[in-house]
Amino acid sequence: QVQLVESGGGLVQPGGSLRLSCSASGSIFSRNVMGWYRQAPGKEREFVATISRGGIANYVDSVKGRFTISRDNAKNTVYLQMNSLKPEDTAVYYCRSTATNGLQSWGQGTQVIVSS
C-alpha cells in the first residue's frame, strides 16, 4: 500500500499559478503510474493528468497547455504545475498511485480555489 500526501493548494486569482506536490511512501515509487484527479463541488471526481513510469504524460483536454505533470523519482514526488488558472479549476485535487499489480492508492486531497 502506498501512502500519499498532497500539498500546495490554496486560494489564487484567475490567471495565477499554483504547484501541487504529492509525496509517496511505502512502495517503489518509480514503478508506479501517478495521476492527478479533481472533484468540484456537486460533481464527480474527474481525471486531470497522469504520468507513466517512463515520464509520458496525458491530460484532460480542458487543462492542456496550462497544466504540467512531472515526477522526481529520487524524491518519490509527483508535481502538478498549474498556470493560467480559471475559476472552473476550483476543486479538491487528489493524487493517485497505480502499482504494477493494479493496486490504486489515493491521497487525502488538497483544495484549490480560483477566485478574485
Side-chain angles (χ1 to χ4, degrees):
Q1 190 76 12
V2 178
Q3 292 77 47
L4 302 171
V5 178
E6 301 100 333
S7 61
L11 173 64
V12 63
Q13 293 185 343
S17 299
L18 283 174
R19 189 176 81 154
L20 306 183
S21 300
C22 172
S23 297
S25 62
S27 179
I28 303 176
F29 177 83
S30 62
R31 296 183 183 177
N32 294 355
V33 175
M34 301 300 298
W36 287 97
Y37 293 73
R38 65 187 180 187
Q39 187 167 15
K43 294 187 177 181
E44 297 289 320
R45 190 173 298 188
E46 67 170 357
F47 160 78
V48 176
T50 57
I51 187 165
S52 71
R53 290 179 286 273
I56 297 173
N58 285 290
Y59 302 92
V60 66
D61 285 347
S62 60
V63 308
K64 285 181 180 177
R66 299 189 298 121
F67 291 10
T68 303
I69 189 171
S70 61
R71 64 192 298 162
D72 186 336
N73 290 337
K75 295 183 178 180
N76 285 3
T77 300
V78 62
Y79 304 97
L80 186 67
Q81 177 67 44
M82 305 186 295
N83 299 328
S84 302
L85 282 161
K86 304 175 181 180
E88 51 263 43
D89 295 317
T90 295
V92 177
Y93 284 71
Y94 296 90
C95 177
R96 189 181 85 173
S97 170
T98 303
T100 53
N101 63 3
L103 182 66
Q104 294 180 349
S105 301
W106 292 88
Q108 82 289 349
T110 185
Q111 177 75 58
V112 172
I113 300 173
V114 184
S115 175
S116 55

